[in-house]
Short mmCIF file of all heavy atoms in Angstrom, two decimals:
data_model
loop_
_atom_site.label_atom_id
_atom_site.label_comp_id
_atom_site.label_asym_id
_atom_site.label_seq_id
_atom_site.Cartn_x
_atom_site.Cartn_y
_atom_site.Cartn_z
N GLY A 409 43.71 -19.62 56.75
CA GLY A 409 43.33 -18.60 55.77
C GLY A 409 41.84 -18.48 55.59
O GLY A 409 41.08 -19.37 55.98
N GLY A 410 41.42 -17.39 54.97
CA GLY A 410 39.99 -17.16 54.77
C GLY A 410 39.47 -17.54 53.40
O GLY A 410 38.27 -17.59 53.18
N ARG A 411 40.37 -17.78 52.43
CA ARG A 411 39.94 -18.07 51.07
C ARG A 411 40.37 -19.48 50.68
O ARG A 411 41.52 -19.74 50.35
CB ARG A 411 40.60 -17.05 50.13
CG ARG A 411 40.38 -17.28 48.63
CD ARG A 411 38.97 -17.17 48.18
NE ARG A 411 38.36 -18.47 47.97
CZ ARG A 411 37.10 -18.68 47.62
NH1 ARG A 411 36.30 -17.66 47.44
NH2 ARG A 411 36.65 -19.89 47.45
N PRO A 412 39.43 -20.45 50.70
CA PRO A 412 39.78 -21.82 50.28
C PRO A 412 40.28 -21.84 48.85
O PRO A 412 39.84 -21.07 48.00
CB PRO A 412 38.43 -22.56 50.41
CG PRO A 412 37.65 -21.77 51.40
CD PRO A 412 38.04 -20.34 51.17
N ALA A 413 41.23 -22.74 48.59
CA ALA A 413 41.79 -23.04 47.26
C ALA A 413 42.80 -21.98 46.79
O ALA A 413 43.38 -22.12 45.74
CB ALA A 413 40.70 -23.22 46.21
N MET A 414 43.00 -20.91 47.56
CA MET A 414 43.98 -19.91 47.16
C MET A 414 45.37 -20.37 47.61
O MET A 414 45.52 -20.93 48.69
CB MET A 414 43.66 -18.54 47.76
CG MET A 414 44.47 -17.40 47.18
SD MET A 414 43.80 -15.78 47.64
CE MET A 414 44.38 -15.65 49.33
N ILE A 415 46.36 -20.17 46.76
CA ILE A 415 47.72 -20.63 47.03
C ILE A 415 48.58 -19.48 47.54
O ILE A 415 48.67 -18.42 46.90
CB ILE A 415 48.37 -21.22 45.76
CG1 ILE A 415 47.49 -22.35 45.18
CG2 ILE A 415 49.77 -21.72 46.07
CD1 ILE A 415 47.33 -23.54 46.10
N SER A 416 49.21 -19.67 48.69
CA SER A 416 50.17 -18.72 49.22
C SER A 416 51.52 -19.38 49.30
O SER A 416 51.63 -20.55 49.70
CB SER A 416 49.75 -18.23 50.61
OG SER A 416 48.60 -17.41 50.54
N ALA A 417 52.56 -18.65 48.94
CA ALA A 417 53.92 -19.19 48.93
C ALA A 417 54.90 -18.02 48.83
O ALA A 417 54.51 -16.85 48.93
CB ALA A 417 54.10 -20.17 47.76
N ALA A 418 56.17 -18.33 48.63
CA ALA A 418 57.17 -17.30 48.40
C ALA A 418 56.84 -16.57 47.10
O ALA A 418 56.49 -17.20 46.11
CB ALA A 418 58.57 -17.91 48.32
N THR A 419 56.89 -15.23 47.11
CA THR A 419 56.50 -14.45 45.93
C THR A 419 57.56 -13.42 45.56
O THR A 419 58.38 -13.03 46.39
CB THR A 419 55.18 -13.71 46.19
OG1 THR A 419 55.36 -12.80 47.30
CG2 THR A 419 54.04 -14.66 46.48
N GLY A 420 57.50 -13.01 44.31
CA GLY A 420 58.43 -12.01 43.83
C GLY A 420 58.23 -10.66 44.50
O GLY A 420 59.21 -9.94 44.76
N ALA A 421 56.98 -10.29 44.79
CA ALA A 421 56.69 -9.00 45.42
C ALA A 421 57.37 -8.90 46.78
O ALA A 421 57.98 -7.89 47.14
CB ALA A 421 55.19 -8.80 45.56
N VAL A 422 57.29 -9.96 47.57
CA VAL A 422 57.92 -9.97 48.89
C VAL A 422 59.43 -10.02 48.74
O VAL A 422 60.16 -9.35 49.48
CB VAL A 422 57.41 -11.18 49.70
CG1 VAL A 422 58.26 -11.40 50.95
CG2 VAL A 422 55.95 -11.00 50.09
N ALA A 423 59.91 -10.80 47.77
CA ALA A 423 61.36 -10.91 47.57
C ALA A 423 61.98 -9.55 47.24
O ALA A 423 63.06 -9.22 47.73
CB ALA A 423 61.65 -11.90 46.44
N LEU A 424 61.29 -8.76 46.43
CA LEU A 424 61.80 -7.44 46.06
C LEU A 424 61.89 -6.51 47.28
O LEU A 424 62.81 -5.70 47.38
CB LEU A 424 60.91 -6.82 44.99
CG LEU A 424 60.99 -7.44 43.58
CD1 LEU A 424 59.89 -6.90 42.70
CD2 LEU A 424 62.35 -7.15 42.97
N VAL A 425 60.93 -6.65 48.18
CA VAL A 425 60.90 -5.77 49.37
C VAL A 425 62.03 -6.09 50.32
O VAL A 425 62.68 -5.18 50.87
CB VAL A 425 59.53 -5.89 50.07
CG1 VAL A 425 59.57 -5.16 51.41
CG2 VAL A 425 58.43 -5.31 49.20
N ILE A 426 62.28 -7.39 50.55
CA ILE A 426 63.24 -7.76 51.60
C ILE A 426 64.64 -8.01 51.06
O ILE A 426 65.58 -8.18 51.85
CB ILE A 426 62.76 -9.03 52.34
CG1 ILE A 426 62.61 -10.19 51.35
CG2 ILE A 426 61.47 -8.75 53.07
CD1 ILE A 426 62.20 -11.49 52.03
N ALA A 427 64.84 -7.99 49.74
CA ALA A 427 66.16 -8.24 49.16
C ALA A 427 67.22 -7.24 49.68
O ALA A 427 68.32 -7.66 50.05
CB ALA A 427 66.10 -8.19 47.65
N PRO A 428 66.92 -5.93 49.74
CA PRO A 428 67.94 -4.99 50.27
C PRO A 428 68.35 -5.28 51.70
O PRO A 428 69.51 -5.13 52.05
CB PRO A 428 67.24 -3.63 50.14
CG PRO A 428 66.18 -3.82 49.11
CD PRO A 428 65.71 -5.22 49.28
N LEU A 429 67.41 -5.71 52.53
CA LEU A 429 67.71 -6.01 53.93
C LEU A 429 68.68 -7.19 54.01
O LEU A 429 69.64 -7.17 54.77
CB LEU A 429 66.43 -6.30 54.70
CG LEU A 429 66.58 -6.67 56.18
CD1 LEU A 429 67.22 -5.52 56.95
CD2 LEU A 429 65.24 -7.04 56.78
N ASN A 430 68.40 -8.24 53.22
CA ASN A 430 69.28 -9.41 53.23
C ASN A 430 70.66 -9.06 52.67
O ASN A 430 71.69 -9.50 53.20
CB ASN A 430 68.65 -10.52 52.39
CG ASN A 430 69.55 -11.75 52.31
OD1 ASN A 430 69.76 -12.44 53.30
ND2 ASN A 430 70.08 -12.01 51.12
N ARG A 431 70.69 -8.24 51.63
CA ARG A 431 71.95 -7.89 50.99
C ARG A 431 72.83 -7.06 51.92
O ARG A 431 74.07 -7.23 51.96
CB ARG A 431 71.66 -7.10 49.72
CG ARG A 431 72.88 -6.74 48.90
CD ARG A 431 72.53 -6.17 47.55
NE ARG A 431 71.67 -4.99 47.65
CZ ARG A 431 70.38 -4.98 47.29
NH1 ARG A 431 69.81 -6.07 46.83
NH2 ARG A 431 69.65 -3.87 47.41
N GLU A 432 72.25 -6.18 52.72
CA GLU A 432 73.02 -5.26 53.55
C GLU A 432 73.29 -5.78 54.96
O GLU A 432 74.28 -5.40 55.60
CB GLU A 432 72.32 -3.91 53.62
CG GLU A 432 72.19 -3.21 52.28
CD GLU A 432 71.31 -1.97 52.33
OE1 GLU A 432 71.02 -1.54 53.47
OE2 GLU A 432 70.89 -1.47 51.27
N HIS A 433 72.39 -6.65 55.46
CA HIS A 433 72.53 -7.05 56.87
C HIS A 433 72.53 -8.56 57.10
O HIS A 433 72.80 -9.01 58.22
CB HIS A 433 71.43 -6.39 57.70
CG HIS A 433 71.43 -4.91 57.65
ND1 HIS A 433 72.31 -4.14 58.38
CD2 HIS A 433 70.68 -4.04 56.92
CE1 HIS A 433 72.09 -2.86 58.14
NE2 HIS A 433 71.11 -2.78 57.25
N GLY A 434 72.13 -9.36 56.10
CA GLY A 434 72.22 -10.80 56.26
C GLY A 434 70.89 -11.50 56.48
O GLY A 434 69.85 -10.87 56.72
N LEU A 435 70.95 -12.83 56.40
CA LEU A 435 69.74 -13.67 56.45
C LEU A 435 69.02 -13.56 57.80
O LEU A 435 67.78 -13.57 57.84
CB LEU A 435 70.11 -15.14 56.18
CG LEU A 435 68.96 -16.14 56.21
CD1 LEU A 435 67.93 -15.81 55.13
CD2 LEU A 435 69.48 -17.56 56.04
#
Side-chain angles (χ1 to χ4, degrees):
R411 174 64 259 178
M414 192 167 77
I415 304 297
S416 291
T419 60
V422 169
L424 288 170
V425 171
I426 60 177
L429 179 62
N430 178 68
R431 184 171 57 250
E432 297 172 14
H433 300 281
L435 179 62

